[in-house]
Amino acid sequence: MLENEVASAGEAGGMPENKPATTQDERVIAAMAHGAAIIPFMGLVAAIVIWATQREKSAYVRFQALQAVAYQVSMVVLMFLAMGCYMCSFFGMFLLIPLSEASSIGAAEGIFAMLGVFSPFLIFGVFMLLQLALIVYGIIGAVRTLQGMDFEYIVIGKRVRQYIG
């Protein structure tokens, strides 16, 4: 009864109805594809399975799941790049430890050497914050699609829309 009142209020009240007509099942499946970002590697597999099994059944799920796949692939690539930066700073730290303990260097060189020693910890902290932000953005996509709203990731959404046609 409440849905009928909302629908009639949207038609009679002059509020434009922009949302595509999606079923509850489509919204849940699309939200699962986006929400799988919580588990980065296994979530990618889940998003691929959702896209592969549901792409013929619903245009809404096809777009949202393919978008989730592209987003999670970019998450994995960013994770590998961040881990590569961390590993470089970690092994570079061992080269800078002797410099930080040398008594013949000046104060400025000693500060830079100490920053080099602590850089792996800083990079790891930034890596964790980036990972958390990416997961939260995927959850936002899951919540928005669960509510039946059309959701597009910032850069990926336009490219996926062009790819689908």
Side-chain angles (χ1 to χ4, degrees):
M1 175 150 175
L2 182 61
E3 291 176 4
N4 294 336
E5 291 174 6
V6 171
S8 63
E11 295 168 4
M15 292 183 353
E17 204 51 48
N18 297 5
K19 295 189 291 187
T22 58
T23 65
Q24 181 67 25
D25 290 340
E26 290 173 332
R27 291 187 296 238
V28 168
I29 292 170
M32 286 183 352
H34 288 290
I38 293 174
I39 310 169
F41 295 106
M42 294 304 292
L44 175 61
V45 173
I48 290 171
V49 167
I50 290 170
W51 176 74
T53 59
Q54 301 296 318
R55 68 179 176 199
E56 302 293 325
K57 298 177 183 175
S58 167
Y60 181 76
V61 174
R62 177 178 54 238
F63 174 68
Q64 295 297 329
L66 187 58
Q67 203 180 191
V69 168
Y71 179 70
Q72 291 180 31
V73 164
S74 65
M75 273 180 64
V76 169
V77 169
L78 278 173
M79 285 175 49
F80 277 118
L81 290 175
M83 193 53 74
C85 290
Y86 171 72
M87 293 306 290
C88 288
S89 70
F90 182 76
F91 290 118
M93 173 184 68
F94 291 113
L95 299 174
L96 293 174
I97 287 175
L99 290 177
S100 67
E101 294 179 0
S103 61
S104 63
I105 60 174
E109 291 88 6
I111 291 172
F112 288 122
M114 287 305 291
L115 282 176
V117 170
F118 290 115
S119 68
F121 301 108
L122 296 173
I123 290 174
F124 189 73
V126 169
F127 169 65
M128 286 292 154
L129 288 176
L130 174 69
Q131 184 65 31
L132 180 65
L134 291 172
I135 289 171
V136 166
Y137 193 41
I139 292 171
I140 290 170
V143 169
R144 299 261 323 213
T145 54
L146 192 58
Q147 293 172 346
M149 298 178 194
D150 196 23
F151 179 77
E152 282 190 17
Y153 290 107
I154 293 174
V155 175
I156 296 169
K158 292 177 185 175
R159 294 185 186 259
V160 169
R161 194 170 297 279
Q162 288 174 352
Y163 176 76
I164 289 178

